[in-house]
Amino acid sequence: MTDDASTSEYVTLVSSDGYQFVVKRSAACVSGALKRMLDPKSNFSEAIENKATLENLNGVVLEKVCEYFYFYEKYKDSRDSPDMDIPPEMCLELLMAADYLNA
């Protein structure tokens, strides 16, 4: 890790209800929206602070989204990946989160 904060290996994602999730930058960048927000060349406040507040996502949904980021990173090159466990009652919220995050 370098002294430059904009290239930090970890970023913090904050939900609408204040829950914070510290995740690897590479995992967060599975999301197209977060990738653009956290790009050091963008000069967005998210990139400078290594912190993105996601007002459209509550803590429960953001936790599952973070779980998906790591799941995707682990199995992206695998032909036989297991299904991710998604509770049926969260499906609609997760679809809306995926659309919002471009993931």
Side-chain angles (χ1 to χ4, degrees):
M1 190 153 81
T2 66
D3 291 335
D4 185 6
S6 65
T7 58
S8 172
E9 184 179 356
Y10 292 90
V11 296
T12 303
L13 304 179
V14 183
S15 68
S16 61
D17 46 0
Y19 288 96
Q20 296 186 16
F21 300 89
V22 178
V23 298
K24 282 189 165 188
R25 179 181 292 273
S26 62
C29 287
V30 167
S31 158
L34 288 174
K35 185 176 183 176
R36 287 186 294 281
M37 278 190 241
L38 297 169
D39 182 358
K41 297 174 191 165
S42 71
N43 288 326
F44 289 140
S45 63
E46 292 87 356
I48 295 166
E49 298 171 6
N50 294 309
K51 184 177 188 177
T53 301
L54 303 166
E55 293 293 333
N56 293 4
L57 305 179
N58 66 39
V60 173
V61 173
L62 185 54
E63 180 180 26
K64 201 60 155 174
V65 167
C66 292
E67 184 182 326
Y68 168 76
F69 290 160
Y70 283 107
F71 180 88
Y72 179 85
E73 271 207 325
K74 183 176 181 178
Y75 294 108
K76 66 182 172 187
D77 296 323
S78 176
R79 289 186 184 267
D80 298 320
S81 62
D83 290 334
M84 188 173 157
D85 182 38
I86 299 174
E89 62 273 10
M90 288 184 72
C91 287
L92 181 58
E93 288 179 285
L94 288 171
L95 281 171
M96 292 180 355
D99 183 53
Y100 172 71
L101 293 171
N102 193 20

